[in-house]
Amino acid sequence: MSVALADELHRLGEEGSTGILRAGDGEFHLVRGTIASVGCERTIGLDRLAVEAGVATAEDWRRAGAGDPGPLLHRPQLETLALLSVFDAAYFLLASDDEPEFLATPEHWLAPVCHIAPRALVHECERRSDSDDSAWSADLVTMVPVVPARRVKRNQLLLTGSQVEVLAAADTRRSIADIARELGRTTYGCLVAVRQLTAAGVIEPPQQVNVENRGRHLTLAPTLADHEPSNTSTPHVPSLPKRIPGSLGPVRSPQGTGARSGRHAIDEEATASTQFRVTRSHPAQPEQWEQVDREILIRLRAALEELA
């Protein structure tokens, strides 16, 4: 965590400052010493969260940014979404070492519904950082694509609805930040899901993936590519299958459990409401992902949304 940025936030909070504190690829909006909004280029932002959740329209947000929030400030979900957005963006900004710069400005329009003490924000980001023992560090969310594992080594897997959704969006090209934008979820929530999927053995660790910067072209490290023959005419895109051939049965949702897709900005700590079970049916056969077309992914995603 950036000590300089945390100290500056504490100082501005104690002084009751109002303005913008810029740091790296984002900024903190302070109003009388409390934080009303935080933006970061690696996260999708409160505007997208609010539109995805049905709290506001694009026109509502444009008017609010122009100084006319109107009834938007009185919508109950806005405060919850604002908190998610602040903690999501602040986690990544506080992980950088960029020098902060403060500029006094008028009050942000979100001040009536969002006012977080800097010490509380820093404490929460420190708590989240304490669990950063995974190979997927915060600085990799835009740098490394998420690649499904070619083989699953476990006999049985239990996946939450959010984990299934993130796995379905992993196409060997999208980064964690790209997946968050695609799904309309917090980047930190997707980062946690990817860490859990990697620990379960269904996502490749980031150090085993090489990315060439020529037109977003992806190549896999030789230790992975040696397991399967290459096909130069049709690129292989590992995807979430409707079933794993031979060794694993279909992905099933437990009866009586209401699933939710996670599209509406639900945080990573509230994703345990739905679990999907993958069970072994023929242990003698090899475990590997079956390549499927995009239509299957579209139908899977539509089914998850209908369960929400």
Side-chain angles (χ1 to χ4, degrees):
M1 174 173 289
S2 172
V3 176
L5 180 54
D7 288 345
E8 183 67 2
L9 283 172
H10 291 153
R11 184 185 69 81
L12 293 172
E14 292 172 355
E15 294 179 355
S17 302
T18 297
I20 297 175
L21 179 64
R22 293 191 174 95
D25 62 344
E27 56 190 24
F28 297 79
H29 294 262
L30 291 98
V31 177
R32 295 184 296 279
T34 62
I35 298 169
S37 176
V38 183
C40 176
E41 292 181 4
R42 287 166 284 176
T43 60
I44 65 172
L46 179 57
D47 54 344
R48 173 75 184 281
L49 293 179
V51 171
E52 286 287 332
V55 173
T57 65
E59 178 60 21
D60 290 335
W61 208 261
R62 187 195 66 77
R63 289 167 51 194
D68 180 25
L72 182 59
L73 289 176
H74 303 289
R75 295 178 185 173
Q77 283 183 280
L78 182 62
E79 181 178 359
T80 300
L81 296 177
L83 291 172
L84 285 176
S85 175
V86 166
F87 286 114
D88 189 33
Y91 169 78
F92 295 101
L93 293 181
L94 283 166
S96 64
D97 295 324
D98 296 288
E99 192 69 23
E101 179 183 2
F102 180 73
L103 176 66
T105 62
E107 293 186 2
H108 194 279
W109 66 271
L110 276 168
V113 297
C114 185
H115 30 80
I116 305 170
R119 290 192 179 277
L121 180 66
V122 172
H123 175 75
E124 172 60 18
C125 291
E126 286 177 339
R127 184 191 68 81
R128 294 184 176 191
S129 299
D130 288 341
S131 62
D132 287 357
D133 54 355
S134 167
W136 289 96
S137 59
D139 58 348
L140 295 181
V141 294
T142 59
M143 298 171 57
V144 178
V146 181
V147 179
R150 294 177 181 272
R151 287 172 174 79
V152 179
K153 298 180 181 179
R154 294 196 177 189
N155 297 342
Q156 178 173 294
L157 296 174
L158 290 175
L159 304 180
T160 67
S162 294
Q163 290 170 346
V164 170
E165 189 179 36
V166 169
L167 183 58
D171 61 356
T172 78
R173 293 183 179 274
R174 291 191 184 105
S175 67
I176 293 175
D178 293 333
I179 291 174
R181 293 188 187 96
E182 173 70 16
L183 301 179
R185 290 186 52 199
T186 62
T187 302
Y188 180 71
C190 291
L191 172 61
V192 170
V194 168
R195 287 172 174 171
Q196 294 167 341
L197 291 168
T198 302
V202 293
I203 292 291
E204 296 289 359
Q207 65 267 22
Q208 296 185 12
V209 179
N210 293 327
V211 182
E212 296 180 2
N213 294 324
R214 294 174 294 181
R216 291 179 59 84
H217 174 65
L218 173 73
T219 59
L220 297 177
T223 54
L224 297 177
D226 290 344
H227 291 293
E228 295 184 0
S230 61
N231 186 340
T232 56
S233 59
T234 304
H236 176 67
V237 180
S239 306
L240 178 69
K242 59 183 178 181
R243 73 181 303 275
I244 300 175
S247 60
L248 299 181
V251 177
R252 296 182 284 110
S253 177
Q255 294 182 355
T257 303
R260 48 141 186 79
S261 67
R263 286 184 62 84
H264 303 313
I266 296 182
D267 200 21
E268 74 289 340
E269 296 176 354
T271 58
S273 61
T274 302
Q275 290 188 323
F276 292 80
R277 184 183 300 273
V278 182
T279 56
R280 180 188 295 275
S281 57
H282 302 288
Q285 298 190 22
E287 303 170 349
Q288 62 182 12
W289 292 110
E290 177 187 20
Q291 182 176 351
V292 296
D293 58 30
R294 295 183 63 85
E295 290 298 321
I296 292 177
L297 292 180
I298 293 172
R299 290 197 297 272
L300 172 62
R301 184 171 177 178
L304 289 171
E305 293 175 351
E306 290 174 2
L307 291 172

